[in-house]
Amino acid sequence: MIALVDCNNFYVSCERLFDPTLIGRPTVVLSNNDGCIVARSEEVKSLGIQMGKPVFQIQSELRKHKVAIRSSNYTLYADMSRRVMKTLGRFSPEVENYSIDEAFLNLDGISDLAEHCHRMREEVIRWTGIPVSVGIAPSKTLAKVANKHAKHTGDGVLSLADKGDQAKALRRTSIHDLWGVGRRYARMLMKNGFKHALDLREADDKWVLKRMTIVGLKMVHELRGIPCIELTLKPPPKKSLIKSCSFGRTLSALGDLEEAVSVYASGVAERLRQQDSLARTITVFLMTNRFQTEHPHYATSATMSFLSSTDDTSVFVQHGLVLLRQIFRRDQRYLKAGVILDAIESRGREQLGLFDPKHESSARLMQAMDGVNQQFGANTIRVGSCGDRQEWKMKRRLLSRRFTTRWDELLHVQT
Amino acid sequence: MKLRFNREELAEALGAVCGVASSRTPKEILKCVHVEVRSDVVLLSATDNEIGLRCAVTQVEVDEPGETLVTADTLSKIVRECPDEILMFEVKDNVLNIRGVGSHFKINTHTSTDFPTVPDLEGDPDFMIPNEALAGLIDWTVFACAKESTRYAINGVLWEVTPKQLTMAATDGRRLSVGKMKFKEGGAKGDSQAIVPGKALQLFARLPGDANSSVAVQIASNRIILKVGRSTLSSNLIEGHFPKYQDVVPQDCDRVVELKTSEFQGKLRQAALLTNEESKGVRLSFAKGELTIASRAPEQGEATISLPIEYAGETTEIGFNPVFLMDVLRVADTDKITFAFKEANRPGLIKKSEDFLHVVMPVNLTSA
């Protein structure tokens, strides 16, 4: 049996944990640059405010309902997620961290599943303060369905171990809400008379294979309770890494863009080292605001390969800046830039190079830099071209503190 | 301008020049082929401002000389699709009329005055080289040059010319191919060096031409010109310093084995079936009388392929990217190659003859 544990309104729950005045009050969390709504409390959902809505379009509505607004605080959410996952690890030796707020657990061999999951749910909330819902089923896809319905049961746990319960739940699940059915497939399925997940479960295999490929057929088998999608316990190293973000304002000065590319190249290099990999290709891209109408949208990129794979921040920054200068045009106002690392290899299995420089000193430097930054906070040591002020950074006007990861941002309790 | 073409010869020449005319350039003129009609010959030219190619078409009957500029891709497709033996071309009011039996195409032309000049040989060439020998050197080297390296110099093939010999070398930083050819007659005027873009050499290798003919070569400070048969290719040279490749050719490979080229290639292909992005290396284990090639793809399976060899040295394991090995075996036109090595994490040296060597760096096996 598989359980899907999903943190309820995760970002909002994290914010409420450290600001109890938000409890019971409609609350939203905004995307990068405070652009769109990416998380809503139950109160906001019941007001009918849609996910992904640009905040400027509903300012008056938010004011009218006294909705609390927060910028996204990914440092806080990532740390809270780590704590939740660690707690879940006590309830199963096999946990797949599916996303920042979801995990699949293998519960094979556990006799009283419901009791086990209730205990797990209580322990997560006691130890981390984050409410979770648990869906139990024989396959991942059914566990997703179970979890969706669990949110509306009183105790937050729903088991679809029984065939009859599965059918009932699938009948109440719209085809649009099914895991693995995107907008295009949903349209196609609706057109062919599949309104609910139960209709798809009963579909002809040959038809599904023809219209939805083997991936669709696997999904249908999973709906029938035949597990086809295994738990990914150790996620494979990423084959491509990207660091990109919109700026707080449009930029036209090369100096600002150089800072941004240096910061992004440093960030993506750090992630590369975290997964113990090396990269051989770097891409830098720039784009203007696609919604502005004064000038045509302009997007450009440039790529370079190195002679040998590396994980050295200074190499990525140096070549990232070379690429930036190649593609930069003075007459444009850029809203977004990014750095992508490709041709990624695992350290210890890498293709050796004919003209490799001796890596020992670079490896020691990177190790020291990561160690210091981990202990004393991100960017304590950084490449000089990252700059000090970074005035171009994204807007996060309503950012809460990093309560769990920074000494200087700890919550103060007065007695 | 009015003339009749032998369609087959025209299609062959257009096929070559269309490889130069870029379809992805913002400059319309660089998408075009320049057609210059003289009294007994037609010259077709195209350029991307880096590489230029001119092909002469001789099976023509010219009524009226002239010149025009038309989109290369459109012209090439029309000529390819027409089944006629003879095609008639005529330019009237800036429109090129192409007529076959029962077909008539009208293509808008461009002003040819702005078309960049495609350089030709100026005076005597620096040296002549048999077409077949040059093709052999290009084949042996060009696949090993880098595509988008930060060291621009390795995005091309190094030509080192001395009065007696031409050496070509290419590397992408992980492998190196070197080929040499001694001039049999004449030789070169003097010493020179040039880094020629890989694309130019690939285009040259595809040019129609007789294997027994000779290629005239002229190297200037920033340009190389190669003339073979009725085609002349010019290319800008790549600036920069080519790495000192001689330093990375291993001199201490004390373990040498002779392998049958096609057998080794076949076995590698089998082993490569069970490699993937993550485990792209194959493990070559050289032992007394036997070479074992092992591969493993996580969550898929593994392969062990062996072949008998004449080897009496110490048992040695080295990991290689099978694609790199197959690439060089594909261009090795000899029945056998020698494979020399020393130990894991040290380069392997493959030779098809004393003048054609290939150095390939291994894949680290420490955590495989």
Side-chain angles (χ1 to χ4, degrees):
Chain A
M1 278 291 163
I2 288 168
L4 173 67
V5 180
D6 184 273
C7 302
N8 299 345
N9 312 324
F10 180 56
Y11 296 172
V12 171
S13 297
C14 290
E15 296 292 343
R16 282 178 168 173
L17 201 54
F18 294 93
D19 183 357
T21 63
L22 298 177
I23 296 170
R25 184 178 166 193
T27 305
V28 293
V29 175
L30 306 182
S31 61
N32 286 339
N33 260 323
D34 294 346
C36 303
I37 291 172
V38 292
R40 302 166 297 164
S41 66
E42 289 303 325
E43 297 81 5
V44 173
K45 287 178 191 172
S46 60
L47 288 171
I49 294 172
Q50 294 298 306
M51 187 76 152
K53 198 85 179 159
V55 77
F56 75 90
Q57 287 180 3
I58 49 166
Q59 280 288 7
S60 59
E61 203 178 347
L62 294 175
R63 261 197 301 273
K64 184 178 147 196
H65 296 290
K66 294 192 173 113
V67 175
I69 305 172
R70 292 289 180 270
S71 301
S72 43
N73 183 347
Y74 288 111
T75 313
L76 175 66
Y77 309 151
D79 188 57
M80 291 312 300
S81 170
R82 185 186 59 77
R83 289 166 193 233
V84 170
M85 299 302 170
K86 198 175 168 192
T87 311
L88 295 179
R90 292 168 47 82
F91 290 86
S92 170
E94 294 187 353
V95 179
E96 174 187 338
N97 297 1
Y98 179 65
S99 70
I100 195 166
D101 61 350
E102 285 175 286
F104 287 105
L105 279 70
N106 182 356
L107 299 183
D108 282 349
I110 290 163
S111 50
D112 191 343
L113 286 170
E115 199 273 333
H116 186 79
C117 290
H118 277 114
R119 211 154 38 81
M120 175 164 69
R121 191 170 173 268
E122 282 157 19
E123 203 150 302
V124 171
I125 199 155
R126 189 181 319 126
W127 288 15
T128 67
I130 301 292
V132 297
S133 304
V134 186
I136 310 160
S139 69
K140 275 179 151 182
T141 309
L142 278 177
K144 270 273 194 185
V145 173
N147 189 287
K148 187 174 165 48
H149 294 295
K151 289 191 192 303
H152 306 294
T153 62
D155 57 5
V157 177
L158 179 70
S159 171
L160 294 183
D162 179 76
K163 284 267 179 200
D165 292 339
Q166 288 170 21
K168 274 186 217 160
L170 292 177
R171 194 172 293 121
R172 287 189 287 128
T173 305
S174 159
I175 207 80
H176 296 271
D177 296 333
L178 203 51
W179 189 46
V181 174
R183 237 180 276 170
R184 273 178 57 197
Y185 270 147
R187 254 201 318 267
M188 183 276 288
L189 288 168
M190 289 293 283
K191 222 167 144 184
N192 284 280
F194 297 91
K195 286 183 183 155
H196 299 103
L198 188 65
D199 303 331
L200 188 58
R201 191 185 80 169
E202 308 305 329
D204 176 55
D205 281 5
K206 278 184 192 159
W207 186 89
V208 175
L209 187 64
K210 193 175 163 196
R211 303 298 297 265
M212 300 176 76
T213 74
I214 187 70
V215 180
L217 189 59
K218 275 186 182 178
M219 181 178 65
V220 171
H221 280 228
E222 285 240 321
L223 289 176
R224 293 171 190 160
I226 305 161
C228 296
I229 309 169
E230 288 179 14
L231 292 192
T232 310
L233 300 177
K234 194 179 167 223
K238 294 214 161 53
K239 290 174 188 165
S240 178
L241 289 170
I242 179 169
K243 179 90 180 172
S244 163
C245 202
S246 298
F247 308 127
R249 56 185 165 85
T250 54
L251 302 180
S252 53
L254 181 61
D256 285 336
L257 289 165
E258 283 177 341
E259 274 190 12
V261 166
S262 301
V263 168
Y264 297 159
S266 304
V268 77
E270 198 177 319
R271 276 165 50 201
L272 183 74
R273 292 193 293 276
Q274 277 166 6
Q275 66 166 39
D276 206 16
S277 298
L278 304 157
R280 231 168 57 79
T281 300
I282 182 170
T283 300
V284 171
F285 66 85
L286 288 175
M287 59 178 76
T288 59
N289 186 352
R290 71 178 69 198
F291 299 110
Q292 55 102 29
T293 47
E294 289 167 40
H295 306 285
H297 175 55
Y298 176 68
T300 180
S301 69
T303 300
M304 260 187 191
S305 296
F306 307 117
L307 273 186
S308 51
S309 305
T310 182
D311 63 357
D312 190 319
T313 295
S314 61
V315 175
F316 295 129
V317 171
Q318 185 192 344
H319 290 101
L321 292 177
V322 169
L323 293 174
L324 169 68
R325 287 168 200 143
Q326 275 176 18
I327 58 176
F328 171 75
R329 273 173 46 179
R330 230 164 260 287
D331 58 342
Q332 297 290 341
R333 299 179 71 82
Y334 300 99
L335 184 65
K336 193 174 185 179
V339 175
I340 304 169
L341 299 183
D342 280 311
I344 289 177
E345 305 177 296
S346 295
R347 182 188 289 284
R349 286 185 215 167
E350 76 274 20
Q351 168 67 53
L352 301 176
L354 279 164
F355 308 98
D356 278 358
K358 296 284 172 226
H359 283 308
E360 290 84 3
S361 60
S362 152
R364 281 205 304 273
L365 178 64
M366 290 304 111
Q367 212 175 358
M369 193 162 107
D370 291 342
V372 169
N373 287 339
Q374 207 167 18
Q375 196 171 348
F376 298 102
N379 299 321
T380 305
I381 296 184
R382 60 184 178 276
V383 174
S385 56
C386 293
D388 288 325
R389 293 159 68 188
Q390 296 174 3
E391 287 170 342
W392 44 268
K393 274 202 158 178
M394 64 179 169
K395 284 180 278 193
R396 287 198 289 180
R397 294 198 188 96
L398 303 159
L399 185 66
S400 52
R401 283 187 273 161
R402 291 165 289 184
F403 299 102
T404 59
T405 50
R406 296 283 294 204
W407 289 112
D408 52 346
E409 295 184 26
L410 279 179
L411 195 66
H412 291 227
V413 179
Q414 291 181 337
T415 55
Chain B
M1 184 187 119
K2 191 176 175 186
L3 73 158
R4 278 171 296 280
F5 276 109
N6 173 303
R7 192 196 62 86
E8 210 170 294
E9 197 198 10
L10 175 63
E12 190 180 56
L14 274 174
V17 292
C18 282
V20 178
S22 173
S23 56
R24 293 173 61 196
T25 172
K27 293 183 178 171
E28 278 302 314
I29 208 159
L30 299 183
K31 293 179 183 170
C32 293
V33 58
H34 181 244
V35 184
E36 184 186 347
V37 182
R38 296 180 181 174
S39 57
D40 56 350
V41 68
V42 175
L43 301 175
L44 302 177
S45 310
T47 178
D48 62 2
N49 270 343
E50 300 277 328
I51 299 168
L53 179 62
R54 177 182 296 118
C55 289
V57 182
T58 52
Q59 292 180 41
V60 288
E61 280 178 29
V62 177
D63 296 333
E64 188 185 321
E67 62 176 329
T68 190
L69 194 64
V70 285
T71 307
D73 189 43
T74 312
L75 181 60
S76 171
K77 280 178 183 162
I78 290 171
V79 172
R80 215 171 40 229
E81 289 302 322
C82 287
D84 311 74
E85 193 184 338
I86 306 290
L87 285 176
M88 198 181 107
F89 278 42
E90 185 176 18
V91 175
K92 264 188 192 168
D93 303 326
N94 296 327
V95 172
L96 171 63
N97 292 271
I98 304 173
R99 289 190 179 88
V101 177
S103 59
H104 182 190
F105 299 88
K106 292 178 176 181
I107 316 173
N108 295 338
T109 63
H110 301 257
T111 318
S112 56
T113 45
D114 296 333
F115 189 74
T117 312
V118 175
D120 206 344
L121 281 178
E122 288 172 11
D124 292 337
D126 293 349
F127 60 91
M128 301 290 291
I129 180 171
N131 195 9
E132 195 176 10
L134 182 59
L137 284 172
I138 292 172
D139 256 8
W140 184 255
T141 52
V142 78
F143 73 92
C145 71
K147 306 291 178 290
E148 282 171 329
S149 176
T150 47
R151 286 183 71 171
Y152 294 106
I154 66 165
N155 293 329
V157 177
L158 175 72
W159 290 43
E160 287 181 317
V161 185
T162 66
K164 290 185 176 169
Q165 170 176 292
L166 167 65
T167 306
M168 284 167 62
T171 179
D172 63 2
R174 296 163 291 174
R175 51 190 170 167
L176 164 77
S177 254
V178 182
K180 286 179 199 165
M181 201 223 73
K182 290 187 173 61
F183 296 122
K184 283 187 180 144
E185 293 158 19
K189 284 177 185 168
D191 290 353
S192 59
Q193 263 200 6
I195 303 170
V196 185
K199 184 187 169 190
L201 295 177
Q202 280 162 344
L203 280 166
F204 180 79
R206 288 204 297 265
L207 286 181
D210 180 2
N212 298 320
S213 60
S214 283
V215 183
V217 183
Q218 194 169 63
I219 299 173
S221 61
N222 62 351
R223 183 185 297 153
I224 186 168
I225 295 172
L226 303 165
K227 185 166 189 167
V228 61
R230 295 194 298 267
S231 306
T232 306
L233 183 133
S234 65
S235 170
N236 288 356
L237 299 178
I238 296 176
E239 288 179 19
H241 295 287
F242 197 86
K244 216 173 164 199
Y245 68 88
Q246 296 88 343
D247 291 352
V248 297
V249 177
Q251 306 296 334
D252 59 350
C253 294
D254 51 4
R255 297 161 202 190
V256 183
V257 59
E258 198 170 67
L259 297 163
K260 288 177 190 158
T261 312
S262 60
E263 184 187 30
F264 185 34
Q265 199 176 6
K267 302 284 182 188
L268 275 170
R269 254 203 314 265
Q270 287 178 29
L273 294 173
L274 283 176
T275 56
N276 59 19
E277 266 300 300
E278 187 53 17
S279 67
K280 59 187 164 210
V282 292
R283 191 185 290 262
L284 266 55
S285 304
F286 295 91
K288 213 164 269 181
E290 188 178 63
L291 166 62
T292 308
I293 308 168
S295 62
R296 192 166 64 86
E299 294 175 18
Q300 275 188 54
E302 50 190 59
T304 310
I305 316 288
S306 57
L307 65 155
I309 53 170
E310 282 182 27
Y311 177 71
E314 261 181 74
T315 301
T316 309
E317 281 197 344
I318 317 183
F320 285 105
N321 182 339
V323 174
F324 286 1
L325 295 178
M326 288 189 288
D327 276 351
V328 64
L329 294 174
R330 189 172 38 81
V331 295
D333 48 6
T334 48
D335 292 342
K336 287 180 179 176
I337 51 118
T338 59
F339 195 114
F341 51 94
K342 186 163 179 70
E343 58 192 24
N345 293 357
R346 298 288 303 277
L349 179 63
I350 294 169
K351 286 184 181 180
K352 75 166 183 175
S353 71
E354 272 313 301
D355 288 336
F356 288 82
L357 64 88
H358 184 84
V359 183
V360 55
M361 283 302 285
V363 171
N364 194 347
L365 289 179
T366 51
S367 73

